[in-house]
Amino acid sequence: MRRAGGSSVAEADKIRGVAGRGMRTKREGHDVGVVVSAMGDTTDDLLAMAKKVTPNPERRELDMLLSAGERISMALLSMAIRELGGDAISFTGSQSGIITNDRHAAARILDGRPFRGAGRRSGREMGVHGGLQGGREPEVRAARGAR
């Protein structure tokens, strides 16, 4: 599993660089998964916007807001990997099988059930995962407190 923090995916060239490193690792015969953060200062920008809307944003809504930043990175990285001839698919935390408690903005991982992320569609794809996300049954998005 590789990690790509916000500065590593802050712009298109950097995203292509992360994709290239993942592809090299895959060509070396390794299974590859990549965990990404939101691009650059996106998380800080989204938090600042939320504070402009309300001084006390609901924690659940903050989780939803911040997951949007990661989803952008996940989709763009998957696109970049495909552009380089690879096969990739993006997964939210809950789609990856990361089960958390329901403490929004401070969730803890309770279990890992890699029902989709590990199995993927063909077994050849690189899984691209959001680093902040998890889920609970029934589907509840909760951030793991990685801010």
Side-chain angles (χ1 to χ4, degrees):
M1 191 64 76
R2 300 182 69 88
R3 172 87 173 130
S7 62
S8 298
V9 292
E11 52 196 47
D13 288 341
K14 290 183 175 188
I15 292 169
R16 285 192 292 269
V18 170
R21 287 188 293 280
M23 290 291 292
R24 277 192 298 280
T25 303
K26 184 79 170 167
R27 279 193 301 271
E28 292 170 358
H30 303 282
D31 286 333
V32 181
V34 183
V35 177
V36 295
S37 296
M39 298 171 65
D41 294 327
T42 300
T43 299
D44 293 338
D45 294 344
L46 291 171
L47 284 170
M49 180 64 72
K51 291 289 187 174
K52 287 180 182 177
V53 170
T54 176
N56 298 304
E58 173 67 31
R59 292 167 72 102
R60 180 196 182 279
E61 299 310 326
L62 277 177
D63 284 357
M64 290 298 286
L65 179 65
L66 299 182
S67 73
E70 287 190 345
R71 287 174 184 238
I72 293 166
S73 297
M74 292 159 41
L76 290 172
L77 181 57
S78 293
M79 291 175 196
I81 291 166
R82 288 182 175 276
E83 182 64 22
L84 293 175
D87 200 1
I89 184 168
S90 59
F91 294 101
T92 64
S94 59
Q95 291 172 336
S96 299
I98 298 170
I99 308 300
T100 66
N101 63 20
D102 59 359
R103 294 194 61 220
H104 292 287
R108 297 289 175 243
I109 295 174
L110 301 175
D111 197 5
R113 301 179 193 159
F115 54 94
R116 287 184 68 187
R120 299 183 295 277
R121 289 182 300 205
S122 70
R124 294 184 308 270
E125 298 100 341
M126 261 187 257
V128 179
H129 309 267
L132 182 67
Q133 303 171 36
R136 184 158 168 83
E137 300 168 330
E139 182 91 12
V140 174
R141 276 183 189 70
R144 294 197 320 259
R147 291 189 231 335

